[in-house]
Amino acid sequence: MSQDEGRTLGIEPATIDIAGRTPRAPAYDDVYFSADDGLAESRHVFLDGNDLAARWARWSASRAFVIGETGFGTGRNMLLAWRLFREVAPAAARLHLVSIERHPLCADDLRALWADDPELHGNACRLANGWPALLRGTHRLRLDDRVTLDLIFDDVDTALNGFDGRVDAWFLDGFAPARNPAMWSARVFAGLAAASRPGATFATYSCARAVREHAAAVGFECEKRPGAGRKREMLQGTLASTASAPAIAAARRRRPWFEPPRAGTAGRIAVIGAGIAGTSVAEALARRGQRCDLYDPLGVAGAASGNAQAALHVRPASNGDARTRFQLAALDYVRRWLADLDSTRTLWSDCGLLQLARDEAEAARQRKCLDRLAVPPTLMRGVDAATAARLAGTPLSGDVRGGLYYSSAGWVRPDRLCRLLFERSGATLYRRAVTALESIDSGWRLANADGGRADYEHVVLACAGAAPALCVDLPPLTTVRGQVSAFASTDPAFAPDCVICGRGYALPALEDWLYAGASFQRDRADAAARSADDDANRAMLAEIAPALAGRLGPPVAARVAFRCTGRDRMPCVGPVPDTAAWRRDYAALALDARRIPDVPGRHRRGLWTSLAHGAHGLVSAPLSAEILASRLCDEPVPRAAGEVDALHPGRWFVRELIRGG
């Protein structure tokens, strides 16, 4: 079990007193900002202290400028930085904000705090409208077309230990060292140095001796400057020496095989596969100014992503493992992502989803999930049988004992969504099968079925079960045949109001059709629809909603697709390992798993994957695309390092080495 497993996933929100002139945190007996002019203080200490206006005015790098913050608080600093960046930075520049907060505010508190501020109210509302569920971990928000915010809800030490990125400027703005010493410890400054680029700066209102000493010990040159308001002095620092950073990073990372390659300049990119995995990668790259070529012989959404309607569905485990943490974070992210893409909800609906319990064993499992994970009820809550029936909007089986209700889940139209992503990406589509990949000095040479050749610096394998034929270094993958059935909805009054799930699922009616499914058959290759599978889908529906199943007309259509899954039901997302090198470099693991060689993992340079999304691809693929795009464009990664490691395509190989395979 990892150090994160067993921790509750929900996080305690802040208690804030906003009745007076100055918002106050009773838990720390301290104020969030000065009563005199908190905005002026923030500008002087954090924006001017890091010389941001001048740095941004001349910013010409293709990557984003990255700000890190230890203490999001009311969002004051980040809102001001966002505004200043839009005012002074070149039109092509991008900003990436990362802020750590142990006790985050609620969205309503954010709105109330800035309701009367004409300067920040609009952006504060945009931020509050996309506010994530109060789940432990990193949450990515797209503030506008050039500004991204990663909120890390955790204690600062854990957050820095898991942070995977490099920062240009730091806002050190926790409560005062005397009130909250954990925010200003030597370990925190070691983490800051490890996560900084050479020449990174920091600014803080605190000039405490311990702060200066901790900063100097990890390579920052510090200077006292005039303070703002009643604060006579402030502290500014510049990372003059990075000699200690590699040692700090090595001490933090105990699995060197997962050390990611640094992509640098992305160059030409090919994405093989034009389903939800491939088109979401293409769209994520386009938002960063990168165009790619898409290869798929079936065209956009020609395979498993071509269904007319599908569920946004997760299945968490009670131990809070990496798969559970990733799925819940991905579900929370996909809601914001879809709202940005399609604010009118033409292609999706957050109507909610019920995972029903039909027997006591499943009901007990669900209760354990709720008790151990402590997930915010806005994301997942338990409901009894009567409430489940009310939410479903259709009579349920008498066997139903209740269930888990996901209020932000629902359904999406994957075929149309993929086409929208393709259009947004500006990618060039080649309706050709890639038959071979050849490693060359500059990257990879693709051969296609028409005899053509093309060279790319980077290739992303997003072609599900077809990927192993192109690369021998991939983990074992399984193909699962699934058939979805469309029935005539003869009685609209019985159509469900939300997605209902048991062994299978049924979706709210779409254009007078009701979709139910999906069959699950491993290693079956026949692509023709079968009437027996339609019957099985109706039978699965009858188990949870017999009245609805009895009122459906005959099947009017069916579609067969093949899902790709891994042995551990986790996607495979990240750089492809050089397994021959791993076998040599990490041979000692077969003798003793504690003998970890100090050798960074070697990878197939420029080769990446987004595979094995299985039945949850509509939830997992968009966040996976953000992980890959962040890697390729040298940006912070949107989840903690340990969780991203659990997605790494090489994880299977390390397990085999340890087992003596």
Side-chain angles (χ1 to χ4, degrees), residues 49-126:
N50 282 290
D51 196 22
L52 292 182
R55 292 166 77 179
W56 287 343
R58 60 177 183 265
W59 186 255
S60 60
S62 60
R63 67 171 180 85
F65 187 98
V66 181
I67 293 177
E69 181 179 47
T70 58
F72 182 81
T74 64
R76 178 188 73 254
N77 298 335
M78 289 305 192
L79 289 168
L80 288 171
W82 177 11
R83 181 182 177 89
L84 178 65
F85 181 82
R86 298 295 305 195
E87 291 173 351
V88 304
R94 291 180 296 115
L95 175 63
H96 196 116
L97 307 168
V98 181
S99 189
I100 300 166
E101 181 55 63
R102 177 63 181 86
H103 297 294
L105 298 179
C106 298
D108 289 343
D109 288 333
L110 273 175
R111 291 189 186 93
L113 273 167
W114 302 111
D116 298 325
D117 190 296
E119 183 178 358
L120 299 183
H121 173 68
N123 281 352
C125 285
R126 163 74 177 169

Coordinates of all heavy atoms in Angstrom, one line a residue, residues 49-126:
G49 N 7.6 42.2 -6.1 CA 8.7 41.5 -5.5 C 9.4 40.5 -6.4 O 10.6 40.2 -6.3
N50 N 8.6 40.0 -7.4 CA 9.1 39.0 -8.3 C 9.4 39.7 -9.7 O 9.6 39.0 -10.7 CB 8.2 37.8 -8.5 CG 8.3 36.8 -7.4 OD1 9.2 36.1 -7.3 ND2 7.2 36.8 -6.5
D51 N 9.2 41.0 -9.8 CA 9.5 41.8 -11.0 C 8.6 41.2 -12.2 O 9.1 41.1 -13.3 CB 11.0 41.7 -11.3 CG 11.4 42.8 -12.3 OD1 10.6 43.8 -12.5 OD2 12.4 42.6 -13.0
L52 N 7.4 40.9 -11.9 CA 6.6 40.1 -12.9 C 6.2 41.0 -14.1 O 6.3 40.5 -15.3 CB 5.3 39.6 -12.3 CG 5.6 38.4 -11.2 CD1 4.3 37.9 -10.7 CD2 6.4 37.3 -11.8
A53 N 5.9 42.2 -13.9 CA 5.5 43.1 -15.1 C 6.6 43.1 -16.1 O 6.4 43.0 -17.3 CB 5.1 44.5 -14.6
A54 N 7.8 43.4 -15.7 CA 9.0 43.5 -16.6 C 9.3 42.1 -17.2 O 9.6 42.0 -18.4 CB 10.2 44.0 -15.9
R55 N 9.2 41.0 -16.4 CA 9.6 39.7 -16.9 C 8.5 39.3 -18.0 O 8.9 38.7 -19.0 CB 9.7 38.7 -15.8 CG 10.8 39.0 -14.9 CD 10.7 38.2 -13.6 NE 11.1 36.8 -13.7 CZ 11.1 35.9 -12.7 NH1 10.7 36.3 -11.5 NH2 11.4 34.7 -12.9
W56 N 7.3 39.6 -17.7 CA 6.2 39.1 -18.6 C 6.2 40.0 -19.9 O 6.0 39.5 -21.0 CB 4.9 39.2 -18.0 CG 4.7 38.1 -17.0 CD1 5.4 37.0 -16.9 CD2 3.7 38.1 -15.9 NE1 4.9 36.2 -15.8 CE2 3.9 36.9 -15.2 CE3 2.7 39.0 -15.5 CZ2 3.1 36.5 -14.1 CZ3 1.9 38.6 -14.4 CH2 2.1 37.4 -13.8
A57 N 6.6 41.3 -19.8 CA 6.6 42.1 -21.0 C 7.6 41.6 -22.0 O 7.4 41.8 -23.2 CB 6.9 43.6 -20.6
R58 N 8.6 41.0 -21.6 CA 9.7 40.5 -22.5 C 9.7 39.0 -22.7 O 10.6 38.4 -23.3 CB 11.0 41.0 -22.1 CG 11.5 40.5 -20.7 CD 12.9 41.0 -20.4 NE 13.3 40.5 -19.1 CZ 13.3 41.1 -17.9 NH1 12.7 42.4 -17.9 NH2 13.7 40.6 -16.8
W59 N 8.6 38.4 -22.2 CA 8.5 36.9 -22.2 C 8.3 36.4 -23.7 O 7.4 36.8 -24.3 CB 7.4 36.4 -21.4 CG 7.4 34.9 -21.2 CD1 6.5 34.0 -21.8 CD2 8.2 34.1 -20.5 NE1 6.8 32.7 -21.5 CE2 7.8 32.7 -20.6 CE3 9.3 34.3 -19.6 CZ2 8.5 31.7 -20.0 CZ3 10.0 33.3 -19.0 CH2 9.6 32.0 -19.2
S60 N 9.2 35.6 -24.2 CA 9.1 35.1 -25.6 C 9.3 33.6 -25.7 O 9.2 33.0 -26.8 CB 10.2 35.7 -26.4 OG 11.5 35.4 -25.9
A61 N 9.4 32.9 -24.5 CA 9.5 31.4 -24.6 C 8.3 30.8 -25.0 O 7.2 31.3 -24.8 CB 9.9 30.9 -23.2
S62 N 8.4 29.6 -25.7 CA 7.2 28.9 -26.1 C 6.5 28.2 -25.0 O 5.3 28.0 -25.1 CB 7.6 27.8 -27.2 OG 8.5 26.9 -26.6
R63 N 7.2 27.9 -23.9 CA 6.5 27.3 -22.7 C 5.8 28.4 -21.9 O 6.0 29.6 -22.1 CB 7.5 26.6 -21.9 CG 8.5 27.6 -21.2 CD 9.4 26.8 -20.2 NE 10.3 27.7 -19.5 CZ 10.1 28.5 -18.4 NH1 8.8 28.5 -17.9 NH2 11.0 29.2 -17.9
A64 N 5.0 27.9 -21.0 CA 4.3 28.8 -20.1 C 5.2 29.3 -19.0 O 6.1 28.6 -18.5 CB 3.1 28.2 -19.4
F65 N 5.0 30.5 -18.5 CA 5.7 31.0 -17.3 C 4.9 30.4 -16.1 O 3.7 30.5 -16.1 CB 5.6 32.6 -17.2 CG 6.4 33.2 -16.1 CD1 7.6 33.7 -16.3 CD2 5.8 33.3 -14.8 CE1 8.3 34.3 -15.3 CE2 6.5 33.9 -13.8 CZ 7.8 34.4 -14.0
V66 N 5.6 29.9 -15.1 CA 5.0 29.2 -14.0 C 5.2 29.9 -12.7 O 6.4 30.3 -12.3 CB 5.6 27.8 -13.9 CG1 4.9 27.0 -12.8 CG2 5.4 27.0 -15.2
I67 N 4.1 30.2 -12.0 CA 4.1 30.8 -10.7 C 3.7 29.7 -9.7 O 2.7 29.0 -9.9 CB 3.2 32.0 -10.5 CG1 3.7 33.2 -11.4 CG2 3.1 32.4 -9.1 CD1 2.8 34.4 -11.3
G68 N 4.4 29.5 -8.6 CA 4.0 28.6 -7.5 C 3.6 29.5 -6.3 O 4.2 30.5 -6.0
E69 N 2.7 29.0 -5.5 CA 2.2 29.7 -4.3 C 2.0 28.7 -3.2 O 1.4 27.7 -3.3 CB 0.9 30.4 -4.6 CG 0.4 31.2 -3.4 CD -0.9 32.0 -3.8 OE1 -1.8 31.4 -4.4 OE2 -1.0 33.2 -3.4
T70 N 2.5 29.1 -2.0 CA 2.3 28.3 -0.8 C 1.2 29.0 0.1 O 1.5 29.6 1.0 CB 3.6 28.1 0.0 OG1 4.1 29.4 0.4 CG2 4.6 27.4 -0.8
G71 N 0.0 28.8 -0.3 CA -1.1 29.4 0.5 C -2.1 30.1 -0.5 O -1.9 31.3 -0.6
F72 N -3.1 29.5 -1.0 CA -4.0 30.1 -1.9 C -4.9 31.1 -1.2 O -5.2 32.2 -1.7 CB -4.9 29.1 -2.6 CG -5.8 29.7 -3.7 CD1 -5.4 30.0 -4.9 CD2 -7.2 29.9 -3.3 CE1 -6.3 30.5 -5.9 CE2 -8.0 30.4 -4.3 CZ -7.6 30.8 -5.5
G73 N -5.3 30.8 0.0 CA -6.1 31.7 0.8 C -7.4 32.1 0.1 O -8.2 31.3 -0.4
T74 N -7.5 33.4 -0.1 CA -8.7 34.0 -0.7 C -8.5 34.1 -2.3 O -9.4 34.6 -2.9 CB -9.0 35.4 -0.2 OG1 -7.9 36.3 -0.5 CG2 -9.2 35.4 1.3
G75 N -7.4 33.7 -2.8 CA -7.1 33.8 -4.2 C -6.6 35.2 -4.6 O -6.4 35.4 -5.8
R76 N -6.4 36.1 -3.7 CA -6.0 37.4 -4.0 C -4.8 37.5 -4.9 O -4.8 38.2 -6.0 CB -5.8 38.2 -2.7 CG -5.4 39.6 -2.8 CD -5.0 40.2 -1.5 NE -3.7 39.7 -1.0 CZ -3.5 38.8 -0.1 NH1 -4.6 38.3 0.6 NH2 -2.3 38.3 0.3
N77 N -3.7 36.8 -4.5 CA -2.5 36.9 -5.3 C -2.7 36.4 -6.7 O -2.2 37.0 -7.7 CB -1.4 36.2 -4.6 CG -1.1 36.7 -3.3 OD1 -1.3 37.9 -3.0 ND2 -0.5 35.9 -2.4
M78 N -3.3 35.3 -6.9 CA -3.5 34.7 -8.2 C -4.4 35.5 -9.1 O -4.2 35.6 -10.3 CB -4.0 33.2 -8.0 CG -3.0 32.3 -7.4 SD -1.5 32.2 -8.4 CE -0.6 30.8 -7.7
L79 N -5.5 36.0 -8.5 CA -6.4 36.9 -9.3 C -5.6 38.1 -9.8 O -5.8 38.5 -10.9 CB -7.6 37.3 -8.4 CG -8.6 36.2 -8.1 CD1 -9.6 36.7 -7.0 CD2 -9.3 35.8 -9.3
L80 N -4.8 38.7 -8.9 CA -4.0 39.9 -9.4 C -3.0 39.5 -10.4 O -2.8 40.2 -11.4 CB -3.3 40.5 -8.2 CG -4.2 41.3 -7.2 CD1 -3.4 41.7 -6.0 CD2 -4.8 42.5 -7.9
A81 N -2.3 38.4 -10.3 CA -1.3 37.9 -11.3 C -2.0 37.6 -12.6 O -1.5 38.0 -13.7 CB -0.6 36.7 -10.8
W82 N -3.2 37.0 -12.6 CA -3.9 36.7 -13.8 C -4.3 38.0 -14.5 O -4.0 38.2 -15.7 CB -5.2 36.0 -13.4 CG -6.2 35.6 -14.5 CD1 -6.0 35.7 -15.8 CD2 -7.5 35.1 -14.3 NE1 -7.1 35.3 -16.5 CE2 -8.1 35.0 -15.5 CE3 -8.2 34.8 -13.1 CZ2 -9.4 34.5 -15.7 CZ3 -9.5 34.3 -13.3 CH2 -10.1 34.1 -14.6
R83 N -4.7 39.0 -13.8 CA -5.1 40.3 -14.4 C -3.9 41.0 -15.0 O -3.9 41.5 -16.1 CB -5.8 41.2 -13.3 CG -6.2 42.6 -13.8 CD -6.8 43.4 -12.7 NE -7.2 44.7 -13.1 CZ -8.3 45.0 -13.7 NH1 -9.3 44.1 -13.8 NH2 -8.6 46.3 -14.0
L84 N -2.8 41.1 -14.2 CA -1.6 41.7 -14.7 C -1.0 41.0 -15.9 O -0.6 41.7 -16.9 CB -0.5 41.7 -13.6 CG 0.9 42.4 -14.0 CD1 0.7 43.9 -14.3 CD2 1.9 42.1 -12.9
F85 N -1.0 39.7 -16.0 CA -0.5 39.0 -17.1 C -1.3 39.4 -18.4 O -0.7 39.6 -19.4 CB -0.6 37.5 -16.8 CG -0.1 36.6 -18.0 CD1 1.2 36.4 -18.1 CD2 -1.0 36.1 -18.9 CE1 1.7 35.6 -19.2 CE2 -0.5 35.3 -20.0 CZ 0.8 35.1 -20.1
R86 N -2.6 39.4 -18.3 CA -3.4 39.8 -19.4 C -3.1 41.2 -19.9 O -3.3 41.6 -21.1 CB -4.9 39.7 -19.1 CG -5.4 38.3 -18.7 CD -5.3 37.3 -19.9 NE -6.0 37.7 -21.1 CZ -6.2 36.9 -22.1 NH1 -5.9 35.6 -22.0 NH2 -6.8 37.3 -23.2
E87 N -2.7 42.1 -19.0 CA -2.4 43.5 -19.3 C -1.1 43.7 -20.0 O -0.9 44.5 -20.9 CB -2.5 44.4 -18.1 CG -3.9 44.5 -17.5 CD -3.8 45.2 -16.1 OE1 -2.7 45.5 -15.6 OE2 -4.9 45.5 -15.6
V88 N 0.0 42.9 -19.6 CA 1.3 43.3 -20.0 C 2.0 42.2 -20.9 O 3.0 42.5 -21.6 CB 2.2 43.6 -18.8 CG1 1.6 44.7 -18.0 CG2 2.5 42.3 -18.0
A89 N 1.6 40.9 -20.8 CA 2.3 39.9 -21.5 C 1.9 39.9 -23.0 O 0.8 40.3 -23.4 CB 1.9 38.5 -20.9
P90 N 2.9 39.5 -23.9 CA 2.6 39.3 -25.3 C 1.4 38.4 -25.6 O 1.1 37.5 -24.8 CB 3.9 38.8 -25.9 CG 4.9 39.1 -24.9 CD 4.3 39.1 -23.6
A91 N 0.8 38.6 -26.7 CA -0.5 37.8 -27.0 C -0.2 36.3 -27.1 O -1.1 35.5 -26.8 CB -1.1 38.3 -28.3
A92 N 1.0 35.9 -27.4 CA 1.3 34.5 -27.5 C 1.7 33.8 -26.2 O 1.9 32.6 -26.2 CB 2.3 34.2 -28.6
A93 N 2.0 34.6 -25.2 CA 2.5 34.1 -24.0 C 1.4 33.4 -23.2 O 0.2 33.7 -23.3 CB 3.1 35.3 -23.1
R94 N 1.9 32.4 -22.4 CA 0.9 31.7 -21.5 C 1.4 31.7 -20.1 O 2.6 31.7 -19.8 CB 0.8 30.2 -22.0 CG 0.1 30.1 -23.4 CD 0.0 28.7 -23.8 NE 1.3 28.1 -24.1 CZ 1.8 27.1 -23.5 NH1 1.2 26.5 -22.5 NH2 3.0 26.6 -23.8
L95 N 0.5 31.6 -19.2 CA 0.8 31.6 -17.7 C 0.2 30.4 -17.1 O -0.9 30.0 -17.3 CB 0.2 32.9 -17.1 CG 0.3 33.0 -15.6 CD1 1.7 33.1 -15.1 CD2 -0.5 34.2 -15.1
H96 N 1.0 29.8 -16.2 CA 0.6 28.6 -15.5 C 0.7 28.9 -14.0 O 1.9 29.1 -13.5 CB 1.4 27.4 -15.9 CG 0.8 26.1 -15.5 ND1 0.3 25.1 -16.4 CD2 0.5 25.5 -14.2 CE1 -0.2 24.1 -15.7 NE2 -0.1 24.3 -14.4
L97 N -0.4 28.9 -13.3 CA -0.4 29.1 -11.8 C -0.5 27.8 -11.1 O -1.4 27.0 -11.4 CB -1.5 30.1 -11.5 CG -1.6 31.4 -12.3 CD1 -3.0 32.1 -12.0 CD2 -0.5 32.3 -11.9
V98 N 0.2 27.7 -10.0 CA 0.1 26.5 -9.1 C 0.0 27.0 -7.7 O 0.9 27.7 -7.2 CB 1.3 25.6 -9.3 CG1 1.2 24.3 -8.4 CG2 1.5 25.2 -10.7
S99 N -1.1 26.6 -7.0 CA -1.2 27.1 -5.6 C -1.6 26.0 -4.7 O -2.5 25.2 -5.0 CB -2.3 28.2 -5.6 OG -2.3 28.8 -4.3
I100 N -1.0 26.0 -3.5 CA -1.2 24.9 -2.5 C -2.1 25.5 -1.4 O -1.8 26.6 -0.9 CB 0.2 24.4 -1.9 CG1 1.1 23.9 -3.1 CG2 0.0 23.4 -0.9 CD1 2.5 23.7 -2.6
E101 N -3.1 24.7 -1.0 CA -3.9 25.1 0.1 C -4.4 23.9 0.9 O -5.0 23.0 0.3 CB -5.1 25.9 -0.5 CG -6.1 26.4 0.6 CD -5.4 27.3 1.6 OE1 -4.9 28.4 1.2 OE2 -5.4 26.9 2.8
R102 N -4.1 23.9 2.2 CA -4.5 22.8 3.0 C -6.0 22.9 3.4 O -6.7 21.9 3.6 CB -3.7 22.8 4.3 CG -4.1 21.8 5.3 CD -3.9 20.4 4.8 NE -4.3 19.3 5.7 CZ -5.5 18.9 5.9 NH1 -6.5 19.4 5.2 NH2 -5.8 17.9 6.8
H103 N -6.5 24.1 3.6 CA -7.9 24.3 3.9 C -8.6 25.3 2.9 O -8.6 26.5 3.2 CB -8.0 24.9 5.4 CG -7.5 24.0 6.4 ND1 -8.1 22.8 6.7 CD2 -6.5 24.0 7.2 CE1 -7.5 22.1 7.7 NE2 -6.4 22.9 8.0
P104 N -9.0 24.8 1.8 CA -9.6 25.7 0.8 C -10.9 26.3 1.1 O -11.7 25.7 1.9 CB -9.7 24.8 -0.5 CG -9.8 23.4 0.1 CD -9.0 23.4 1.4
L105 N -11.2 27.4 0.6 CA -12.5 28.0 0.7 C -13.5 27.3 -0.1 O -13.1 26.5 -1.0 CB -12.4 29.5 0.3 CG -11.5 30.5 1.0 CD1 -11.6 31.8 0.4 CD2 -11.9 30.5 2.5
C106 N -14.8 27.5 0.1 CA -15.8 27.0 -0.7 C -16.1 28.1 -1.8 O -15.8 29.3 -1.7 CB -17.1 26.8 0.1 SG -16.9 25.5 1.3
A107 N -16.7 27.7 -2.9 CA -17.0 28.6 -4.0 C -17.8 29.7 -3.6 O -17.6 30.9 -4.0 CB -17.6 27.8 -5.2
D108 N -18.8 29.5 -2.7 CA -19.7 30.6 -2.3 C -18.9 31.6 -1.5 O -19.2 32.9 -1.5 CB -20.8 30.1 -1.5 CG -21.9 29.3 -2.3 OD1 -21.8 29.5 -3.5 OD2 -22.7 28.6 -1.7
D109 N -17.9 31.2 -0.7 CA -17.1 32.1 0.1 C -16.3 33.0 -0.9 O -16.1 34.2 -0.7 CB -16.1 31.4 1.0 CG -16.8 30.8 2.2 OD1 -17.9 31.3 2.6 OD2 -16.4 29.8 2.7
L110 N -15.7 32.4 -2.0 CA -15.0 33.2 -2.9 C -15.9 34.3 -3.6 O -15.4 35.4 -3.7 CB -14.5 32.3 -4.0 CG -13.1 31.6 -3.8 CD1 -12.8 30.6 -5.0 CD2 -12.0 32.6 -3.7
R111 N -17.1 33.9 -3.9 CA -18.0 34.9 -4.5 C -18.3 36.0 -3.5 O -18.3 37.2 -3.9 CB -19.3 34.2 -5.0 CG -19.1 33.3 -6.1 CD -20.5 32.8 -6.6 NE -20.3 31.8 -7.7 CZ -20.4 30.5 -7.4 NH1 -20.5 30.0 -6.2 NH2 -20.2 29.6 -8.4
A112 N -18.5 35.6 -2.3 CA -18.9 36.7 -1.3 C -17.7 37.6 -1.0 O -17.9 38.8 -0.8 CB -19.3 36.0 0.0
L113 N -16.5 37.0 -1.0 CA -15.3 37.8 -0.6 C -15.1 39.0 -1.7 O -14.7 40.1 -1.3 CB -14.1 36.9 -0.6 CG -13.8 36.3 0.7 CD1 -12.7 35.2 0.6 CD2 -13.3 37.3 1.7
W114 N -15.3 38.7 -2.9 CA -15.0 39.6 -4.0 C -16.2 40.2 -4.6 O -16.1 40.9 -5.7 CB -14.1 38.9 -5.0 CG -12.9 38.3 -4.5 CD1 -12.5 37.0 -4.3 CD2 -11.8 39.1 -3.9 NE1 -11.3 36.9 -3.7 CE2 -10.8 38.1 -3.4 CE3 -11.5 40.4 -3.8 CZ2 -9.6 38.5 -2.8 CZ3 -10.3 40.8 -3.2 CH2 -9.4 39.9 -2.7
A115 N -17.4 40.1 -4.0 CA -18.6 40.6 -4.6 C -18.6 42.1 -4.8 O -19.2 42.6 -5.8 CB -19.8 40.2 -3.8
D116 N -17.9 42.8 -4.0 CA -18.0 44.3 -4.0 C -16.7 44.9 -4.6 O -16.5 46.1 -4.6 CB -18.2 44.9 -2.6 CG -19.5 44.4 -2.1 OD1 -20.5 44.3 -2.8 OD2 -19.6 44.2 -0.8
D117 N -15.8 44.0 -5.2 CA -14.6 44.5 -5.7 C -14.7 44.6 -7.3 O -14.7 43.6 -8.0 CB -13.4 43.6 -5.4 CG -12.1 44.2 -5.7 OD1 -11.8 44.4 -6.9 OD2 -11.3 44.4 -4.8
P118 N -14.8 45.8 -7.8 CA -15.0 45.9 -9.3 C -13.8 45.4 -10.1 O -14.0 45.0 -11.2 CB -15.2 47.4 -9.5 CG -14.5 48.1 -8.3 CD -14.7 47.1 -7.1
E119 N -12.6 45.4 -9.5 CA -11.4 45.0 -10.2 C -11.3 43.5 -10.3 O -11.0 42.9 -11.4 CB -10.2 45.5 -9.5 CG -8.9 45.2 -10.2 CD -7.7 45.8 -9.4 OE1 -7.9 46.5 -8.4 OE2 -6.6 45.6 -9.9
L120 N -11.7 42.7 -9.3 CA -11.5 41.3 -9.3 C -12.8 40.4 -9.3 O -12.7 39.2 -9.5 CB -10.7 40.9 -8.0 CG -9.3 41.5 -7.9 CD1 -8.6 41.0 -6.7 CD2 -8.4 41.2 -9.1
H121 N -13.9 41.1 -9.2 CA -15.2 40.3 -9.1 C -15.4 39.4 -10.3 O -15.8 38.2 -10.1 CB -16.3 41.3 -9.0 CG -17.7 40.6 -9.0 ND1 -18.1 39.8 -8.0 CD2 -18.7 40.6 -10.0 CE1 -19.3 39.3 -8.4 NE2 -19.7 39.8 -9.5
G122 N -15.2 39.9 -11.5 CA -15.5 39.1 -12.7 C -14.6 37.8 -12.7 O -15.1 36.7 -12.9
N123 N -13.3 38.0 -12.5 CA -12.4 36.8 -12.6 C -12.7 35.9 -11.4 O -12.5 34.7 -11.5 CB -11.0 37.2 -12.6 CG -10.5 37.7 -14.0 OD1 -11.2 37.5 -14.9 ND2 -9.3 38.3 -14.1
A124 N -13.0 36.5 -10.2 CA -13.3 35.6 -9.0 C -14.6 34.8 -9.3 O -14.6 33.6 -8.9 CB -13.6 36.5 -7.8
C125 N -15.6 35.3 -10.0 CA -16.7 34.5 -10.4 C -16.4 33.4 -11.3 O -16.9 32.3 -11.2 CB -17.8 35.4 -10.9 SG -18.7 36.4 -9.7
R126 N -15.5 33.7 -12.3 CA -15.1 32.7 -13.3 C -14.4 31.6 -12.5 O -14.6 30.4 -12.8 CB -14.1 33.3 -14.3 CG -13.3 32.4 -15.1 CD -14.0 31.6 -16.1 NE -13.1 30.7 -16.9 CZ -13.5 29.8 -17.7 NH1 -14.8 29.6 -17.9 NH2 -12.6 29.1 -18.4

